[in-house]
Amino acid sequence: MTQKKVSIKIGRKSSGYDIRIGNDLLAASGNWAVESLGRSSGKIAVISNKTVFAIYGTTVVKGLTKAGFETFVHLIGDGEKYKSFKTLEKTLAFLGENKISRTDAVLALGGGVVGDLAGFAASVYLRGIAFLQVPTTLLSMIDSSVGGKTGINTSFGKNLVGSFYQPNGVLIDAAVLATLPRRELTAGFCEAIKQGAISGKKLLEQTGSILEELDNNSIAKKLADGHFTAEFEQLLAAQVRFKALIVAGDERESAAKTDAKSRKILNFGHTFAHAIEKITNYHYFKHGEAVGYGIIFAAELSKKLELMPLDGVNLLNDVVRRAGSLPAIGHIDPSEVLEAFKYDKKNIGNSLQWVLLKGIGKPVIVSQNDIPGSALRSVLQSIIRH
Ligand code: NAD
Ligand code: GLY
């Protein structure tokens, strides 16, 4: 059993917290919880969903119980629609009914949906109790479990109610990816490519080379190979380190910050992604798949505006292709995409803020007012046609 540790200093916990990364770590979740919480007793409310809990729940609960914790399990529905006020209310009621107190903790076992909802519940229940994250999708390992954004979707938009709430500890066990459906893995890799694109060639190439090794093999098979696993854990650690670095400098995504290290740059690829998700009613694409197209769109737009040379665009196209096949996009109406841009939450002072690239690892925020409509339309036509 190998392990890596990324220590993070962000937000309200001045002592910071650790993200543990390794393979087959779930059975030792009890010891990790003791270290993260600084105690070996009390209650832990495990929030998960049926799909994930059926595979990994028993191992985690056994580990926690063995370490001295009293566990309580609450399962939410599986899917984005359960990241809702209704689920939050039921989750808070569960915590209250089981007399979870200020010295107890919530543990999220699942992907980004479970993590965002459980983290938000932990942040508002009794005005905030300890929170542990065990992310089980690639996206939640490298993105949503790092940085403290928690929240739910609303009738007026996605992720519009929430909090910034850093966890007490995160446990990333790569072995759980063996059961992750292939499309979810591709979606997670697209977010990893996004982080590589804005971080620099090193992280992008590291991500690309894992994808090359993975090729068309199942990750379950590859994770049985010690060499691949070691490289994959290094990639997870590098991805987490990069995201933590950005978040540490701009935890609350300050509206005034627009430099290359502002948290906004993590939205690279997201303007186009949000638009195509919205016009397909959030049912057609996995979020990360839409980000895959968003990366290509932002890269092409950067080239069109003569910000980034062709080799950067080619590299990004190549790595996104290696991530796996994306759902076809040819049926999408470009005029609907242009209309959907207007509703993006990155609108500041009525102008949409695009994250573009001056090169790999050189993000720049550009106001839509500075982008000719003809450039947007021409890139849109070429992406949708191909
Ligand atoms: P998800 O949580 O819906 O999980 C995807 C699917 O995989 C689900 O059906 C889930 O049950 C299943 N699953 C999870 N782990 C599994 C495993 N190991 N084996 C088998 N099946 C497994 O999706 P996601 O992509 O993890 O997260 C998406 C959510 O994350 C969105 O709500 C998005 O808004 C949010 N998000 C938040 C942040 C943040 O900073 N907080 C960042 C990015 C995304
Ligand atoms: N996923 C974007 C952020 O955490 O800011």
Side-chain angles (χ1 to χ4, degrees), residues 49 51-52 55-56 78 80 83 111-113 116 136-137 139-140 143-144 149 158-159 176 179-181 184 243:
N49 72 25
T51 316
V52 176
I55 319 175
Y56 302 109
D78 187 353
E80 189 67 37
K83 217 174 95 175
V113 167
D116 280 11
T136 62
T137 61
L139 181 145
S140 57
D143 188 355
S144 63
K149 277 189 184 174
K158 276 189 75 184
N159 293 323
V176 305
T179 54
L180 191 70
E184 300 293 350
K243 176 148 187 201

Side-chain angles (χ1 to χ4, degrees), residues 250 252-260 262-264 348 353 365:
D250 182 17
R252 289 178 176 250
E253 202 168 321
S254 147
K257 244 179 166 271
T258 51
D259 59 87
S262 72
R263 189 164 183 166
K264 288 193 197 77
I348 294 177
Q353 307 289 301
I365 296 177

Side-chain angles (χ1 to χ4, degrees), residues 5 156 165 184 303:
K5 186 168 87 174
F156 46 93
Y165 198 67
E184 300 293 350
K303 185 183 77 169

Side-chain angles (χ1 to χ4, degrees), residues 190-205:
C190 288
E191 292 281 11
I193 295 166
K194 171 205 83 177
Q195 294 192 166
I198 53 179
S199 163
K201 276 212 167 123
K202 190 166 171 220
L203 186 58
L204 184 61
E205 280 168 6

